[in-house]
Amino acid sequence: MSKGKVLNLKDKINGNEMDLSLCNLSEVPVKELAALRKATVLDLSCNNITSLPPDFCKLTHLIRVDLSKNQLASLPDDLGNLCNLQHLDLYNNKLTGLPVSFSQLRNLKWLDLKDNPLETELAKAAGDCLDEKQCKQCASKVLLHMKEVQEEVDKAREKRFLKEREQEKKKEAKKREREAKEREVRKQEKAEEKERRRKEYQAQLDATAAQEHQRKKKEEKKKRNGLAADKKAAEESAPKPRRSLIGLLFKLLLLLLLGLAGAAAACQLTELGREAACVPVNAALETGLTWARRQDVLLRQLLKDWSTMAKELLESSQTAKN
């Protein structure tokens, strides 16, 4: 039967049964079957079907499926999604095994796997299916076997997952260790760089301090040399001390007094005393002596003050020269 004729499935339905056997089908018209959800019994026996499409597992309304006498070498991995499936006929195909999800067909009550090149463990679990009782036992034993397979697969998967997780942890640990080492290296490099810069900065400070100390030392030396030179030059260029004005006046006064004393002595001790010129001298001498006696204390104080003033002037002059 051509594919164009098969698509008219309404001619193949009778109540809840869809009979597509002996239609020379190589593919299952899943799309059309999905639209006819009232067809819970599907007969696809005696065709040339080599595989079931993944969408076949979406026909969850199916209760009974006959795929006997086809060319099926494998079944979809999601076959376990056919949660309402109770009767499955896979007689005379080319199956060697069943998908792990087969263990999820909890409502399966009847199964025929005769005349398939099944693997040893599965063939042993399936046994014969020569009557209704054996086919029911086949379904029960195969489900139990596939549950064990599922557990083994889950264990293997978990083991693989744990192994992969352990490997990931090791990789992550190595990565963290490598990153920690890199951080430590960077930290060490930063510390060394900081120490190097600190030493350079300290060296600059020391060099600056040494230069400043040397400069101050040179300035002090230059200042000392300058002061010594200025002192020497001042000593060499300093004029000879002038005679004190007070000392000169004192000497003139002394000479005048000596002159007057000489004149008075001549008028008193020689015969010149009778001369008219000595009369005023003798009178003045008498007057002066009288006044001198009266002013003796004043004169002494005056001489003392003049002496003190002369001494201070001499000291002031000496200090200015230094």
Side-chain angles (χ1 to χ4, degrees):
M1 185 178 290
S2 66
K3 185 175 179 180
K5 292 181 179 179
V6 171
L7 293 177
N8 189 11
L9 299 182
K10 292 182 180 180
D11 297 336
K12 300 294 182 179
I13 191 169
N14 183 14
N16 67 336
E17 296 182 8
M18 175 70 69
D19 188 1
L20 297 176
S21 63
L22 300 170
C23 291
N24 198 27
L25 294 176
S26 60
E27 297 179 358
V28 179
V30 175
K31 184 175 181 182
E32 291 76 7
L33 291 172
L36 300 171
R37 298 188 65 82
K38 68 177 183 178
T40 59
V41 177
L42 177 62
D43 189 354
L44 291 167
S45 63
C46 302
N47 283 293
N48 296 315
I49 302 173
T50 58
S51 64
L52 297 178
D55 288 347
F56 183 82
C57 301
K58 295 181 180 180
L59 302 177
T60 56
H61 61 281
L62 294 176
I63 296 176
R64 182 172 182 147
V65 177
D66 189 350
L67 287 164
S68 62
K69 298 182 181 180
N70 278 282
Q71 304 297 319
L72 293 173
S74 63
L75 297 176
D77 291 337
D78 294 332
L79 188 68
N81 291 340
L82 300 176
C83 55
N84 293 312
L85 190 62
Q86 300 178 12
H87 185 108
L88 179 60
D89 193 342
L90 294 170
Y91 166 72
N92 194 12
N93 277 277
K94 296 182 179 181
L95 296 173
T96 58
L98 298 174
V100 178
S101 65
F102 197 93
S103 62
Q104 298 174 13
L105 299 175
R106 296 181 178 86
N107 292 318
L108 188 66
K109 307 298 182 183
W110 194 97
L111 177 64
D112 189 355
L113 288 172
K114 290 191 310 294
D115 293 341
N116 280 282
L118 300 175
E119 58 186 13
T120 306
E121 293 296 328
L122 180 58
K124 183 178 180 180
D128 293 328
C129 185
L130 301 176
D131 53 29
E132 188 75 12
K133 182 178 179 181
Q134 288 182 344
C135 291
K136 288 183 178 180
Q137 290 177 350
C138 176
S140 176
K141 291 181 179 179
V142 168
L143 283 176
L144 183 61
H145 172 73
M146 293 309 298
K147 286 180 181 179
E148 293 176 354
V149 172
Q150 179 71 54
E151 291 176 357
E152 292 178 359
V153 170
D154 290 342
K155 288 181 180 179
R157 186 179 299 164
E158 183 179 3
K159 185 177 180 181
R160 184 169 61 253
F161 172 76
L162 293 175
K163 185 177 180 181
E164 291 175 354
R165 188 175 180 183
E166 186 66 23
Q167 291 176 349
E168 288 295 328
K169 286 183 178 180
K170 289 181 179 179
K171 289 181 180 179
E172 190 66 24
K174 289 181 179 180
K175 182 180 179 181
R176 288 196 298 269
E177 184 179 357
R178 183 173 65 254
E179 291 176 350
K181 288 181 179 179
E182 291 175 355
R183 286 196 300 270
E184 188 65 25
V185 170
R186 289 195 296 269
K187 184 178 179 181
Q188 184 66 25
E189 289 177 351
K190 287 182 179 179
E192 292 176 355
E193 178 65 16
K194 185 177 181 180
E195 181 64 17
R196 183 184 66 79
R197 293 174 61 185
R198 188 191 67 78
K199 288 182 179 179
E200 289 180 354
Y201 178 72
Q202 187 62 39
Q204 290 178 356
L205 290 180
D206 294 342
T208 302
Q211 292 177 358
E212 184 67 18
H213 178 71
Q214 191 68 20
R215 185 184 65 79
K216 289 183 178 180
K217 192 174 181 180
K218 288 181 179 179
E219 288 181 355
E220 291 177 357
K221 184 177 180 181
K222 184 178 180 181
K223 186 176 181 181
R224 288 197 300 270
N225 293 338
L227 291 175
D230 292 343
K231 184 177 180 180
K232 184 176 181 182
E235 290 177 353
E236 291 177 352
S237 62
K240 294 182 179 180
R242 298 179 181 179
R243 293 181 179 181
S244 176
L245 179 60
I246 297 176
L248 182 59
L249 292 175
F250 182 76
K251 289 181 179 180
L252 290 176
L253 181 59
L254 183 59
L255 289 175
L256 179 60
L257 291 175
L258 289 175
L260 291 173
C267 290
Q268 288 289 328
L269 299 176
T270 64
E271 293 180 355
L272 293 176
R274 297 188 182 91
E275 296 295 330
C278 290
V279 173
V281 173
N282 292 329
L285 180 59
E286 288 294 333
T287 302
L289 290 173
T290 302
W291 179 82
R293 291 189 189 97
R294 292 176 182 177
Q295 301 298 324
D296 180 59
V297 177
L298 181 61
L299 181 60
R300 290 176 182 277
Q301 185 64 38
L302 180 61
L303 290 175
K304 184 178 179 181
D305 292 341
W306 281 3
S307 178
T308 301
M309 290 176 64
K311 185 176 180 181
E312 290 178 354
L313 287 174
L314 288 173
E315 290 178 353
S316 299
S317 177
Q318 188 66 29
T319 303
K321 290 178 182 180
N322 294 333

